[in-house]
């Protein structure tokens, strides 16, 4: 399989700044986009009452089709967005009840796109992504942060890790 990338977008606004950044990157890099807002994904549940929501079919499709997963999130209260956090929490299903699917994470690559109204953010923001990659046997490629205040139609958006 060729190294195919997907951007997994987790934002509370479908047409917000993060979406605009992702759309430009996807266009320039010919990369697919999955908008988590298009799916019904419930929070992690130890009793697996949410087994029939969209998470398991979605993650199976992602792992089947893509080698590189780029997570794109605005920064809300110094953290990833809620919808992205729920998606990450549900990876626990791949450790508990879908172990065969979970094994498919090994060897995949991940990167992160973040967006806020600051030029720079603390490296600690990326710890959950880095540590999750390490724990799951994935390769962390890096991250890129964008300041929504200075983006305009002439801004060149580049990712070195795609």
């Amino acid at each position: 399989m060729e190294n195919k990338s997907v951007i997994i977008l987790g934002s509370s606004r479908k047409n917000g700044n993060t979406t605009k950044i992702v759309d430009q990157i996807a266009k320039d890099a010919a990369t697919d986009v999955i908008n988590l807002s298009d799916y019904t994904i419930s929070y992690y549940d130890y009793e697996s009452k949410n087994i029939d929501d969209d998470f398991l079919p979605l993650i199976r499709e992602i792992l089947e089709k893509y080698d590189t997963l780029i997570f794109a999130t605005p920064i809300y209260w110094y953290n990833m967005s809620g919808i992205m956090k729920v998606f990450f929490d549900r990876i626990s299903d791949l450790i508990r009840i879908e172990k065969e699917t979970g094994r498919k994470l090994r060897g995949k690559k991940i990167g992160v796109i973040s967006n806020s109204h600051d030029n720079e953010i603390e490296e600690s923001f990326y710890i959950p992504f880095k540590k999750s990659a390490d724990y799951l046997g994935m390769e962390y490629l890096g991250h890129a942060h964008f300041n929504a205040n200075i983006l305009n139609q002439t801004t060149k958006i580049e990712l070195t890790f795609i």
Side-chain angles (χ1 to χ4, degrees):
M1 170 186 348
E2 65 182 272
N3 187 6
K4 191 157 180 183
S5 300
V6 63
I7 300 173
I8 301 169
L9 172 62
S11 177
S12 295
R13 288 192 306 163
K14 273 199 164 231
N15 296 312
N17 295 320
T18 308
T19 303
K20 291 174 187 168
I21 293 164
V22 164
D23 287 348
Q24 185 64 49
I25 292 168
K27 184 178 122 193
D28 292 346
T31 303
D32 294 340
V33 176
I34 294 173
N35 190 331
L36 294 177
S37 295
D38 295 335
Y39 298 88
T40 302
I41 300 174
S42 179
Y43 58 88
Y44 179 69
D45 170 20
Y46 282 97
E47 297 175 16
S48 302
K49 293 177 185 174
N50 54 12
I51 199 157
D52 292 324
D53 71 6
D54 293 334
F55 177 75
L56 289 174
L58 176 60
I59 196 69
R60 287 183 198 119
E61 178 184 347
I62 289 169
L63 295 177
E64 191 67 35
K65 290 172 69 173
Y66 304 102
D67 296 308
T68 301
L69 290 61
I70 309 296
F71 295 98
T73 179
I75 298 176
Y76 296 151
W77 289 100
Y78 317 101
N79 212 326
M80 69 180 83
S81 66
I83 194 168
M84 184 65 73
K85 177 68 169 102
V86 167
F87 185 84
F88 259 73
D89 285 351
R90 287 297 296 279
I91 291 173
S92 297
D93 286 340
L94 305 184
I95 296 166
R96 278 192 53 249
I97 62 172
E98 283 278 329
K99 292 179 182 181
E100 194 63 35
T101 302
R103 287 185 189 97
K104 293 178 182 177
L105 290 164
R106 289 205 168 284
K108 301 283 186 187
K109 300 171 183 159
I110 71 168
V112 181
I113 299 167
S114 59
N115 167 59
S116 72
H117 294 285
D118 294 314
N119 288 330
E120 295 179 23
I121 60 169
E122 293 182 28
E123 280 292 312
S124 60
F125 173 81
Y126 301 105
I127 289 174
F129 299 98
K130 291 176 181 178
K131 294 278 191 181
S132 296
D134 185 50
Y135 180 78
L136 297 167
M138 303 172 79
E139 180 184 350
Y140 185 79
L141 298 175
H143 48 266
H145 179 73
F146 299 94
N147 182 333
N149 292 333
I150 61 173
L151 292 176
N152 59 47
Q153 292 179 346
T154 61
T155 301
K156 179 74 174 147
I157 297 175
E158 294 181 6
L159 289 184
T160 56
F161 53 82
I162 285 190

